[in-house]
Amino acid sequence: MTMKVPRGRPKPRVYSYIRFSTPEQEKGDSLRRQREWRDNYVNANGYHLDTSFKLLDKGRSAFKGEHLRGKGTLGIFLDAVKSGMVPSGSILLVESIDRLTRLEPIEAIEMVCFGLLKHGITVKTTVAEYPPDAVNDGRIHGLIAEIQRAYQESKRKSELIGAARETARQKARDEKKIITAQCPAWLTKEGDKFVVIPEAEEAIRRLFDLKLKGLSTRAIERKLNEEGTWTAPPRENQITTGWRASYITKIVRNRAVIGEYQPFKKVNGKREPKGEAIKGYYPIVVEPPCFFAVQEILSRNQGTGGRADQFSNIFKSMMICKYCGGPMSFDNKGERTKGGLRFVCYNGQRNAGCRHPSPYAIRFDDIADCVLDNCPKLKPEQVLPEPDEQAKRCQALTEHIQGLNAQLTDIERKQKNLLKSIAKEDRDALRKALADEWDSMQQQHADIEHAIAERESELQQAERDTKSFATWQRDLKQLRESIEGRDQTAIEMRMRLNAHLRELIKSIEVFAEGYAKGTEKTDDNTLPKRGRTVKDNGRLRYIPAPIPTEDDFYDAMMAQADDDLWRDKMFRGFIKQIAEQRRTKKGRFVRVHFTTGAVVDLVPEGSLASGVQMTKDARRQAGWRFVNPKLDRMWRDWKTEYNKKAAKKR
């Protein structure tokens, strides 16, 4: 049927809507056929095709309503109709109703009748015409029948596809049968199995190794491109070549590298995981402990992003202002040699919550000197560019243990989810299958715990075989020199050192002006009065002394001094002045919370604070000693100055 336009009336505006569900249809006959019918109709009736709206939805499903959401052009057109941009009396050409909608009948009728016909738009297909008054002459029944047919057809097709995919997924789980030829770029399909591309395997392992060493994604991107390793082939219409940071981020989180395939299902247009990942579906490229160790690093790094090209802060994400509990921001006021690097209380800097009236700062070198020199588990030889064989062995064992621990965490997470599923399931057969899966996970958990114990024993022996304390100090000095500078090597070294320190240190609390008034810390009454080293499961463990809540220097001096000395006015003035100075920048110190649970107060060079210092014992092993202000010399200087002032008064 052809719409007749009375003489004298302007011809209606004609719009054409074309849609197909899959990209393959664009290469086939669908697009050509729809365009040919449109052009024939427009030419036969002497109409002009309005192209102000690009009504073309490629690869969008009408059953799921994708053509109505987001960038779907039909949804945009419907909004234009309702707003009056598309005038009443216009014609919308569409090959068939199922091109327009495959939604549930109620939604589809509302869209066509109230979204188009009610606003004066005529819908024209190859077999019928539905003008605004179609509801009055019975043609609406044909429209409803078309809508129902389109929905039922798509529903049946969706159910068949869903059942086929579920069967394929089950075969993949049970028989490791390949579902689709699509696979990660580092694999290729040969017959009925996936095979790893050797160059790709080498590049991906190198990528994970660099991440374990603490390099940022941008630094890894630059390094891999410099080395000219294998890269994934560019996608269609992609201009950039080589490694990209976005692709590196995708790979390090992709469980496909450990052989797992995660099936997905679309829910409301979004991909959601369908069941647990299928193990052993792909060839393993990266060993699971290495993969999970990287996941642990990514978890620690979350929310700590920043510029990687000028990475200077080796204590990134560790520094805390003790006075307010807020972070210490890294402030660069000039060249490192001039002491321009410092940490400033972020809250105090913004006048936003620190208890103290001004933003307290502490020099970067003060922190670096006392923390690096007093971090017993720091392994500078593993951070240096060329670690020796023993250091490499220790590093490999450490990373392996970290990965195994991360695997345990992953299994425990899965077990929690499995317990919820078992509790909800009322079918005996499925409950038994879930219970069998639980038993399998328990066995995996036990095997990994056994592997951790073995690796820890190897690491303990390897660390006993490492270098002497004097050599450790020499390596540390070399490390300090290596991280200076602005070249790429120094930047990468600082990144690696930051990653290593974050494995050892939980936080560093800064007392920029000593024990300032209001400093609070809860004592642990279970701790001994003095720090001591004990044997725990065959290993030495340091138990720290109780953490002091305030400066007891004045009281301690009163208790130690004899009565005659304490009655001396000069001595009392001396002690009072030292006590006051310990509440200023002269009494600065930091409190380091190690990941082992140990907590120590470390004192920068020249500070009047009290704390501990790492040293070597008679067996040339690392140990601790208490450090206090050099009171004898200070007392002599005080008496000399006091007597000079007294002589002038006379």
Side-chain angles (χ1 to χ4, degrees):
M1 180 183 292
T2 302
M3 176 183 285
K4 299 295 183 181
V5 181
R7 289 183 179 179
R9 286 192 183 179
K11 290 185 178 181
R13 290 192 186 181
V14 178
Y15 301 88
S16 169
Y17 176 66
I18 294 175
R19 183 195 65 79
F20 40 86
S21 303
T22 62
E24 289 76 12
Q25 288 177 296
E26 182 178 6
K27 300 174 183 177
D29 196 50
S30 179
L31 181 60
R32 182 205 59 77
R33 190 182 64 246
Q34 293 183 64
R35 283 176 172 170
E36 184 178 342
W37 170 76
R38 174 200 67 192
D39 295 342
N40 289 339
Y41 176 83
V42 170
N43 294 333
N45 289 276
Y47 291 143
H48 171 71
L49 184 64
D50 192 317
T51 57
S52 55
F53 291 93
K54 188 180 180 181
L55 295 177
L56 175 62
D57 281 322
K58 299 180 181 180
R60 296 185 185 274
S61 170
F63 181 64
K64 298 173 183 176
E66 294 172 350
H67 62 327
L68 300 175
R69 297 189 299 267
K71 295 182 179 179
T73 61
L74 183 62
I76 296 170
F77 181 75
L78 286 171
D79 290 340
V81 169
K82 292 173 185 177
S83 68
M85 288 179 63
V86 176
S88 177
S90 299
I91 302 173
L92 178 63
L93 302 180
V94 58
E95 185 184 41
S96 61
I97 291 298
D98 59 13
R99 295 290 176 194
L100 201 62
T101 176
R102 288 178 179 266
L103 297 169
E104 289 187 356
I106 292 177
E107 290 182 76
I109 291 169
E110 181 179 356
M111 184 193 82
V112 177
C113 294
F114 295 98
L116 293 170
L117 303 186
K118 184 183 176 182
H119 290 85
I121 308 299
T122 295
V123 177
K124 169 65 180 169
T125 72
T126 58
V127 296
E129 186 173 275
Y130 304 102
D133 60 352
V135 75
N136 299 322
D137 59 16
R139 277 180 284 180
I140 191 69
H141 301 301
L143 175 61
I144 293 172
E146 281 294 298
I147 286 173
Q148 288 177 321
R149 179 195 59 77
Y151 170 71
Q152 291 297 335
E153 184 181 281
S154 287
K155 182 183 178 185
R156 179 175 172 276
K157 190 185 296 183
S158 177
E159 289 172 349
L160 289 173
I161 292 172
R165 285 178 178 168
E166 186 57 42
T167 301
R169 281 193 287 263
Q170 198 57 48
K171 283 188 176 181
R173 291 185 189 280
D174 298 339
E175 306 169 18
K176 301 297 182 285
K177 189 172 181 180
I178 292 176
I179 297 175
T180 172
Q182 289 183 336
C183 60
W186 58 87
L187 302 176
T188 183
K189 184 174 178 290
E190 293 184 3
D192 59 350
K193 64 178 181 179
F194 293 117
V195 177
V196 184
I197 300 170
E199 299 82 3
E201 181 178 23
E202 184 181 344
I204 290 173
R205 287 183 176 177
R206 172 67 171 149
L207 186 161
F208 273 82
D209 179 57
L210 293 172
K211 197 65 185 175
L212 281 174
K213 290 177 178 176
L215 268 66
S216 70
T217 304
R218 288 293 180 190
I220 294 173
E221 174 190 59
R222 185 164 45 245
K223 197 144 191 89
L224 291 178
N225 285 327
E226 285 174 0
E227 294 174 357
T229 63
W230 169 91
T231 59
R235 298 190 301 270
E236 189 177 354
N237 298 325
Q238 182 178 309
I239 299 173
T240 57
T241 58
W243 283 96
R244 303 178 305 281
S246 59
Y247 189 55
I248 292 170
T249 300
K250 184 178 179 180
I251 287 180
V252 294
R253 293 189 178 278
N254 193 346
R255 297 173 80 101
V257 298
I258 56 172
E260 294 186 6
Y261 166 65
Q262 177 62 67
F264 285 89
K265 182 179 181 181
K266 273 198 175 183
V267 179
N268 296 327
K270 294 183 179 179
R271 294 174 78 242
E272 292 187 1
K274 176 67 175 176
E276 288 292 337
I278 301 172
K279 295 182 178 179
Y281 184 81
Y282 296 124
I284 292 176
V285 176
V286 175
E287 291 302 316
C290 175
F291 175 81
F292 285 105
V294 168
Q295 304 317 298
E296 190 68 21
I297 291 172
L298 295 174
S299 178
R300 288 200 306 264
N301 289 349
Q302 196 167 4
T304 62
R307 289 183 62 187
D309 55 340
Q310 296 295 328
F311 193 97
S312 299
N313 183 10
I314 60 173
F315 301 109
K316 187 177 180 180
S317 305
M318 302 181 209
M319 308 297 294
I320 297 172
C321 173
K322 181 56 187 172
Y323 307 135
C324 67
M328 299 287 286
S329 61
F330 185 67
D331 197 13
N332 188 345
K333 290 294 184 182
E335 294 294 331
R336 183 185 298 272
T337 53
K338 298 178 182 178
L341 300 180
R342 60 178 190 162
F343 291 102
V344 183
C345 172
Y346 184 60
N347 288 335
Q349 201 173 30
R350 298 178 300 122
N351 192 24
C354 191
R355 303 179 197 181
H356 296 271
S358 62
Y360 286 96
I362 190 167
R363 293 174 66 246
F364 172 87
D365 287 340
D366 280 351
I367 305 291
D369 290 341
C370 65
V371 172
L372 295 180
D373 290 343
N374 295 283
C375 189
K377 290 188 176 294
L378 177 68
K379 298 179 176 64
E381 69 278 7
Q382 292 185 12
V383 182
L384 289 167
E386 297 297 332
D388 61 22
E389 290 304 315
Q390 191 67 6
K392 288 179 182 177
R393 181 167 175 248
C394 290
Q395 184 178 9
L397 286 168
T398 301
E399 290 170 357
H400 194 72
I401 291 168
Q402 290 171 347
L404 290 171
N405 279 316
Q407 268 187 280
L408 279 186
T409 304
D410 188 62
I411 289 174
E412 288 163 1
R413 176 189 61 79
K414 290 179 179 178
Q415 285 181 312
K416 287 181 182 178
N417 295 336
L418 197 58
L419 279 176
K420 292 177 184 177
S421 300
I422 293 173
K424 292 178 182 178
E425 187 55 57
D426 56 1
R427 289 169 291 182
D428 292 341
L430 195 50
R431 281 176 65 88
K432 184 180 183 306
L434 293 173
D436 290 343
E437 190 174 350
W438 169 270
D439 292 340
S440 174
M441 285 186 182
Q442 283 288 80
Q443 185 59 50
Q444 288 179 46
H445 197 282
D447 291 344
I448 292 173
E449 283 186 325
H450 179 68
I452 289 174
E454 288 185 338
R455 297 294 88 75
E456 285 182 337
S457 177
E458 290 180 41
L459 179 61
Q460 188 177 356
Q461 181 61 45
E463 287 178 339
R464 277 199 292 265
D465 296 339
T466 51
K467 304 170 183 176
S468 67
F469 182 66
T471 308
W472 179 85
Q473 288 182 314
R474 187 192 67 204
D475 287 345
L476 180 59
K477 182 181 178 183
Q478 183 184 349
L479 175 62
R480 294 290 303 276
E481 292 171 353
S482 299
I483 62 174
E484 300 290 338
R486 296 182 179 180
D487 61 296
Q488 190 58 37
T489 301
I491 292 170
E492 290 177 8
M493 290 276 289
R494 291 196 287 270
M495 290 179 186
R496 291 167 60 178
L497 179 56
N498 173 252
H500 184 39
L501 287 171
R502 287 171 64 186
E503 295 171 0
L504 309 176
I505 298 173
K506 187 184 296 182
S507 63
I508 301 173
E509 294 177 322
V510 178
F511 294 73
E513 298 212 355
Y515 281 109
K517 189 176 180 180
T519 302
E520 296 176 359
K521 182 73 182 180
T522 303
D523 281 337
D524 185 348
N525 295 323
T526 63
L527 293 175
K529 291 184 178 180
R530 294 178 68 87
R532 60 196 175 102
T533 301
V534 299
K535 242 184 182 180
D536 183 13
N537 292 327
R539 300 185 69 176
L540 294 178
R541 183 165 66 90
Y542 177 74
I543 300 179
I547 303 171
T549 59
E550 59 184 18
D551 191 10
D552 59 355
F553 175 77
Y554 195 84
D555 295 335
M557 294 306 300
M558 284 180 63
Q560 293 176 26
D562 56 43
D563 292 342
D564 290 339
L565 187 59
W566 194 250
R567 282 193 289 268
D568 187 338
K569 181 180 177 182
M570 187 193 316
F571 180 75
R572 291 201 306 274
F574 167 67
I575 296 301
K576 182 179 179 181
Q577 187 198 52
I578 297 298
E580 289 174 351
Q581 287 181 339
R582 281 165 64 102
R583 292 181 182 272
T584 68
K585 289 184 179 181
K586 292 183 178 181
R588 67 198 181 283
F589 69 96
V590 295
R591 179 167 289 161
V592 181
H593 294 255
F594 291 102
T595 53
T596 58
V599 183
V600 296
D601 288 348
L602 301 178
V603 183
E605 185 70 28
S607 173
L608 296 177
S610 301
V612 296
Q613 186 179 68
M614 199 169 73
T615 185
K616 61 181 178 182
D617 58 19
R619 294 176 300 168
R620 304 179 67 82
Q621 297 295 315
W624 296 94
R625 70 178 180 88
F626 289 96
V627 292
N628 288 299
K630 296 179 174 59
L631 294 178
D632 291 342
R633 188 183 65 189
M634 295 172 68
W635 172 231
R636 288 196 301 271
D637 294 342
W638 173 268
K639 285 192 296 184
T640 301
E641 190 64 28
Y642 188 90
N643 290 329
K644 284 182 180 179
K645 290 180 179 178
K648 285 182 179 180
K649 288 181 180 179
R650 291 197 297 266

